[in-house]
Amino acid sequence: MIRQLWILSLVFVCGCSLVDLRGQKDGFSVASCAKGVGILDEVAKKNGVTDHWSKFSEFQVTAKDHWSWTLIRWLTPVQINDQNLQFTFKLDKEDSLMVYLNGDTPFDSIGMRDTKTYRIIKGEIIQKHYMDVSMYLAHVRHYFLFPQMIKEYPVTAYMGEGQMNGIIYDKVYVSTTDSPANSKEDQYVVWVNQKTKRMDYIEFTIRDLLPSLHGVMAYKDYRLIDGIWLPFEITLLNSMTTKSYSHRFTVQKIHLKQ
């Protein structure tokens, strides 16, 4: 039932057509792929990822989740607006944990371990398939870790320059394939600030929810943590051309564990 509500809500918001972020019909050239890889290599080195990221096994972040779309929030494990949450993401596996830090919730925490979801209620672990837990945690994990792990994707290609708010960007396509869009494989377009060499925006698809669903992760307020520049504000915009957004994370603290 929850998944059906998710899909109905997203169809209403996003429409039904399959989006293709490549912006072209043919595959990418060898030269464009080489340039795309070079840009992301430079970003990783400039932001400390190359030298430091592999040292850590766990990413812990304390953040407030502010929602603009109340209907969508009701379909997630976030019980109140502006809820303070603590996330712990294992970096050598997909395990994730979220602890509620405020609000009147019956759950102490929620999590995913070995691809299985669970809730902890008054200290007791209840393990079963929670659709809202798996969708929310998987996507939030992606929002926070994608800038540091983006180079793991096999297909990278330069798409040319773009401009937003007077700033010039290099646009880099990232995915598992350069074939035309399909309903299974996600696509990403990274907007790299030419001056700062940071990822300010990442256009993305979420095929597991809806083939046509796409949005933008906007990253701001980068701060140096253990040698790595990390964003302390992440906003889920509806598109590159609007200020409308679904929700925003404002970070209070990030801890990287070796």
Side-chain angles (χ1 to χ4, degrees), residues 1-8 131 135 207-209:
M1 181 63 180
I2 290 178
R3 181 174 178 81
Q4 293 173 335
L5 290 172
W6 266 98
I7 293 175
L8 286 173
M131 180 64 72
M135 286 194 294
R207 306 296 194 200
D208 63 338
L209 287 183

Side-chain angles (χ1 to χ4, degrees), residues 49-82:
V49 175
T50 302
D51 294 331
H52 301 287
W53 183 253
S54 62
K55 302 176 184 177
F56 303 105
S57 64
E58 189 174 283
F59 184 102
Q60 186 180 88
V61 55
T62 302
K64 178 180 292 185
D65 192 357
H66 173 76
W67 285 80
S68 175
W69 291 358
T70 301
L71 174 61
I72 302 297
R73 178 179 63 77
W74 285 345
L75 304 175
T76 77
V78 179
Q79 302 297 303
I80 60 174
N81 203 4
D82 291 331

Side-chain angles (χ1 to χ4, degrees), residues 41 68 74 100 106 131 133 135 173 191 203 216 221 224 242:
D41 281 343
S68 175
W74 285 345
Y100 295 92
M131 180 64 72
V133 172
M135 286 194 294
Y173 175 86
W191 289 58
E203 297 179 77
V216 178
D221 191 15
L224 189 62
T242 179

